[in-house]
Each structure stands twice: as C-alpha cells, then as structure tokens.
Amino acid sequence: MPIVTLPLQELVDGFGPVPDGIELDVWDVEGPYARADEVAIAFLPFYFGGRHRWQFVHDLPNLELLQLPSAGYEWATPHVPGHARLANGRGIHDDETAELAVGLALTSLREIAAFQFDRAEQRWDARETRSLADRRVTVVGYGAIGSAIATRFEAFRTDVTVVARTARDQDGRHVHAFGELPELARTTDVLVLIAPLTDETEGLVDAALLAALPDGALVVNVARGKVVDTDALVAELRSGRISAALDVTDPEPLPADHALWTTPNTVLTPHVGGNTDLSIPRSLDLIRRQVAALAEGRAFENVIDLPVNQG
C-alpha cells in the first residue's frame, strides 16, 4: 500500500478521509523510515535543515514525489533522488508573504517600529512620516506570490510595476524583464523582492542597482537574502540614503556581530513570511490534491523541471 508521509501529526489528523489504497503516516525525516520501500510521497518539514536528512530521503526507493512546503526550491534541487519528482509549495504562502511585504513597507515608511521604541521611553513624538499611497512600487519576481504582492500594493493606491526574467503581458499587467531593472530603479520608491534564487538572480540587487535608487527609497526583501549584495546594502544603509525592510538575509540566521543588527533605517524579521496560522490549512489543501492525484494516477501539481543529472 503506498504511504504518504507528513511531518506533523496535526497534518495527518486534519487530512480527512483518505482515498482507498493510500496510507498516511507521520515522519519528520529525523531518522530512517521503517517502511522506506512503501513511501510514494514525502512531505518535508516546514523547517528542513541538516545534510544528514537527505540520506533518509534517498533511502526511499519507490518515492514518486518529494513535496516541499515552500515556494522556493533552490535549496532542495541538488538533493532530489533521480527517480523522484520535486514539487514546491506554490499557493501555500501567497497570502502570508504578500501580507508581510506590505506590512514591512508600512512599518518602515510609517515608522511603526520606531514609535514602539518611543513608547518604551515614554516619549510622545507625533512626527510626520511617509505614506505608502502614491509611491512608485517595483515588484521583482512575478510568480504566484509576486502577483499577490502586486495586487495588495495596488490596493494602497500605489503605482505598481512588475519585473520578471522575461518580458510579457500577464494578468492585465505588463511584466518587464530583469534587464530593464537599472532604468526602472531610477524612479522606484519601494523595491519589493520576491524573485526565486537562481544563478541569474543571485546578487541581482548589487551596488549599481542600489545606487540607481532615488534618495529615500525602500528595499523590501521577502525573497532570499542572496538576491541582494549584502555588503552593498549595508553601505547604503549606513550612509542613510535608503532604507530596508528585510524578512530574509545573507547569511541566515544573522550571526551575533553582523552589521544588519545595527544598521540605521532597517526593519528586520527572522524569515517568517510563510509562518502563520494559515500554513497548516493551506498545506492540507495542497496535500489533499497531491494524494488524490496519486490515488487516481493523475499528474502531480507544482512539479519543478529539474536537470537530467539531478540527484
């Protein structure tokens, strides 16, 4: 009987009726699975670290699908067994990450974090802050989450431009290509990063691109830390010329002495874009569809095209 492993008992308990011929079981990939030859789908834990765990995945000889809980997948592609497919968590964290992107922008522009420091000092300083409305927002990355981010910023009466690897028209928007970013940056008030980490996007936001941003611009990163040249960003922040609101960093987590702990004009959250009470129900929605596809012999969703020599 094919087994689908889930990393939490909560996911198994919340699944509901299981299709005939399928068994669900809890496995956190912290050790070898006793019935390894029966596993058809393995859903990885939400926070998956440690190279030793990949060996346990490779010990599943009949694995058909390795299901990630995240939209990003660059961290998993080198380790997928050659006989298995890889699927990402597209759709699970769209709303959560889009909310945080807007929240980070508002926290920085409206100085919400700074007002909390004022409160701790019992200081009542009703100073003027910057509005999000009427800002020119450039969203870099236009997958499902990028689209959700663009829609939410538009609701705040901003002028939104979207950018992706290739230019196209999609969802009633014109998508600009990465090559247009240096010119677009010159008129960008809020630069929102949600592009996947690839060879093309690593270091995409470098010193030159940061320098092209107008004085007072805000960089919001909910993508991956390596999309930004951290040293270049630190230099700009220390100059006071721009601001940053970061949910991701390079390295991650930040070591105790890292400059981003103390740079001015910086809002920092510890990679929590997809960490809300929606994660479990949205994950269950995807898991149910993947299990139904297994039971019915249909194609899985969200499958990533991998190099032929992966695994």
Side-chain angles (χ1 to χ4, degrees), residues 47-133:
Y47 296 96
F48 189 82
R51 295 184 64 86
H52 69 285
R53 299 170 105 181
W54 287 112
Q55 182 56 55
F56 305 138
V57 174
H58 277 260
D59 289 341
L60 307 175
N62 298 308
L63 182 68
E64 296 184 38
L65 183 71
L66 183 64
Q67 176 66 61
L68 304 182
S70 60
Y73 53 84
E74 79 288 338
W75 54 276
T77 52
H79 308 290
V80 181
H83 58 275
R85 308 298 301 276
L86 177 71
N88 71 345
R90 177 185 173 96
I92 293 177
H93 303 299
D94 297 6
D95 292 325
E96 299 168 308
T97 307
E99 288 172 353
L100 185 63
V102 174
L104 286 170
L106 289 170
T107 297
S108 179
L109 294 171
R110 299 304 304 268
E111 300 185 24
I112 295 171
F115 283 126
Q116 301 316 299
F117 286 116
D118 287 351
R119 175 176 178 267
E121 298 293 328
Q122 298 185 14
R123 181 171 53 246
W124 189 272
D125 179 9
R127 59 188 174 274
E128 180 181 277
T129 62
R130 294 186 292 167
S131 177
L132 177 57

Side-chain angles (χ1 to χ4, degrees), residues 142 146-148 150-152 154 160 162 168-175:
Y142 197 64
S147 176
T151 297
R152 281 162 176 76
E154 286 170 342
V160 175
V162 296
R168 59 188 184 272
D169 292 317
Q170 181 180 333
D171 307 328
R173 300 185 179 103
H174 177 67
V175 183

Side-chain angles (χ1 to χ4, degrees), residues 222-246:
V222 288
R224 289 289 188 267
K226 288 181 180 290
V227 172
V228 179
D229 180 329
T230 298
D231 290 342
L233 178 62
V234 167
E236 288 281 8
L237 293 172
R238 282 177 169 167
S239 77
R241 198 182 70 81
I242 67 172
S243 301
L246 311 172

Side-chain angles (χ1 to χ4, degrees), residues 136-138 161 163 179-191 206-218 241-242:
R136 297 162 298 185
V137 177
T138 299
T161 300
V163 183
E180 300 176 71
L181 259 178
E183 186 60 32
L184 292 171
R186 300 182 189 281
T187 56
T188 293
D189 298 312
V190 181
L191 182 69
D206 57 11
L209 188 65
L210 290 169
L213 292 169
D215 290 353
L218 169 66
R241 198 182 70 81
I242 67 172

